[in-house]
Amino acid sequence: ETGVTQTPRHLVMGMTNKKSLKCEQHLGHNAMYWYKQSAKKPLELMFVYSLEERVENNSVPSRFSPECPNSSHLFLHLHTLQPEDSALYLCASSQTTRWGGETQYFGPGTRLLVL
Amino acid sequence: QKEVEQDPGPLSVPEGAIVSLNCTYSNSAFQYFMWYRQYSRKGPELLMYTYSSGNKEDGRFTAQVDKSSKYISLFIRDSQPSDSATYLCAMSTGGMNRDDKIIFGKGTRLHILP
């Protein structure tokens, strides 16, 4: 497996469910990101981890909880979500967290639908 | 004023035509400019990357940055149906602080008609 992988690719959940999204990067990068992509909106940065330490929490509601156990894996734990949280959740990685001058490699995303 | 403005389209052009995609921005501190291509049901992939002003060419793709006008463009020559995708512009100041994160446009949906 190469690049950035995400599972599951699709997820339907009720507002009372708890689920987790998983991301794995096989590129030897030190930084990983969670983005939210909604229709007709720009990509929204949610969380950034650098060397397994969270360096950015972009005012995301506490119903989203990230976890980075090592530099290759990133999770997004979901609980008591709202229908407006339905979106494509993208994971990305880069060599460092220098924002410019760094290519971010994206996974295919998890399409989430909250009922 | 939004930091990055990008027309969402859709933009439909016949095969073989030259495509012009554009973004405007307000932050004069942006120095790194990127174009990502996103196919349906896929994540964005970096297509072009430019530092500061000027042009950069890669095959059928040319990226232009005009910092004086705060305007960036992506040109696609000899467009192909396989170029049909959403194109996102992105830019950043290049620093390592939390305010230096990459800002994305909304993306332009492009359809190349066979």
Side-chain angles (χ1 to χ4, degrees), chain B residues 32-97:
Chain B
Y32 293 85
F33 303 91
M34 293 143 279
W35 285 95
Y36 283 83
R37 178 176 61 195
Q38 186 174 18
Y39 290 115
S40 180
R41 297 185 175 82
K42 295 281 181 72
E45 58 176 330
L46 184 68
L47 195 59
M48 298 286 284
Y49 163 81
T50 311
Y51 171 70
S52 194
S53 283
N55 294 0
K56 185 173 184 178
E57 188 174 322
D58 183 2
R60 296 185 295 112
F61 298 89
T62 299
Q64 280 187 356
V65 175
D66 182 349
K67 292 188 72 179
S68 62
S69 302
K70 298 190 181 70
Y71 188 88
I72 68 170
S73 301
L74 177 71
F75 296 96
I76 307 174
R77 291 182 299 280
D78 188 24
S79 55
Q80 306 293 311
S82 59
D83 295 326
S84 298
T86 296
Y87 290 80
L88 300 101
C89 64
M91 46 200 80
S92 79
T93 59
M96 297 187 73
N97 301 315

Side-chain angles (χ1 to χ4, degrees), chain A residues 17-80:
Chain A
N17 292 159
K18 288 185 180 181
K19 296 287 184 183
S20 295
L21 310 184
K22 179 183 176 183
C23 175
E24 185 174 358
Q25 59 96 0
H26 309 267
L27 301 168
H29 289 166
N30 293 317
M32 297 186 77
Y33 311 78
W34 279 117
Y35 285 90
K36 176 183 179 183
Q37 188 175 36
S38 305
K40 299 182 181 178
K41 285 188 175 181
L43 278 172
E44 300 172 52
L45 180 65
M46 299 175 72
F47 300 103
V48 182
Y49 277 83
S50 176
L51 294 171
E52 304 149 42
E53 178 184 348
R54 189 190 306 181
V55 296
E56 174 78 15
N57 177 353
N58 213 26
S59 302
V60 178
S62 60
R63 56 186 184 268
F64 295 91
S65 174
E67 179 189 359
C68 187
N70 55 62
S71 59
S72 298
H73 294 85
L74 186 64
F75 294 89
L76 188 63
H77 303 299
L78 316 171
H79 62 99
T80 59

Side-chain angles (χ1 to χ4, degrees), chain A residues 4-19:
Chain A
V4 180
T5 58
Q6 290 186 244
T7 54
R9 293 294 308 278
H10 302 274
L11 179 61
V12 180
M13 59 188 289
M15 288 190 284
T16 57
N17 292 159
K18 288 185 180 181
K19 296 287 184 183

Side-chain angles (χ1 to χ4, degrees), chain B residues 4-6 21-25 35 70-73 89 91:
Chain B
V4 178
E5 298 270 10
Q6 183 176 14
L21 304 168
N22 313 293
C23 287
T24 59
Y25 62 94
W35 285 95
K70 298 190 181 70
Y71 188 88
I72 68 170
S73 301
C89 64
M91 46 200 80

